[in-house]
Amino acid sequence: MNAITFDTHEFVKELCDAGFEEKQAEAVTKAIRKAQESRLDALVTKQDLDVRLAELEIRLVKWMVVTSISIIGVLFALLRFVPLH
């Protein structure tokens, strides 16, 4: 997965320049970084989606084949009861 870079040192410096105490700036930076990391863990990649889509396509094709065979079987069974005269 692609990482999103976050320069924590630069962010702490910016907060301190804006009037935060160093301890406060570090706490805010830590909280933002944790939130950012937790969001990244929940994301999926295009490759993840492609794999899942391929699995679903295979299941759909299998279902269609089984359903088609079942319908043909039922039709042949019903035809046995239809008089041909």
Side-chain angles (χ1 to χ4, degrees), residues 13-64:
K13 281 178 37 180
E14 287 181 26
L15 290 176
C16 288
D17 290 346
F20 279 74
E21 293 180 15
E22 188 172 347
K23 251 184 155 175
Q24 291 173 321
E26 288 173 357
V28 169
T29 303
K30 184 177 179 180
I32 290 173
R33 186 170 182 181
K34 279 185 180 180
Q36 183 184 40
E37 288 171 356
S38 68
R39 281 197 331 243
L40 288 177
D41 291 342
L43 296 178
V44 295
T45 63
K46 183 180 182 309
Q47 183 180 4
D48 294 333
L49 293 175
D50 289 343
V51 168
R52 189 68 176 129
L53 182 59
E55 292 170 358
L56 290 173
E57 287 173 352
I58 290 169
R59 287 177 55 196
L60 180 61
V61 169
K62 286 180 182 179
W63 180 84
M64 289 173 59

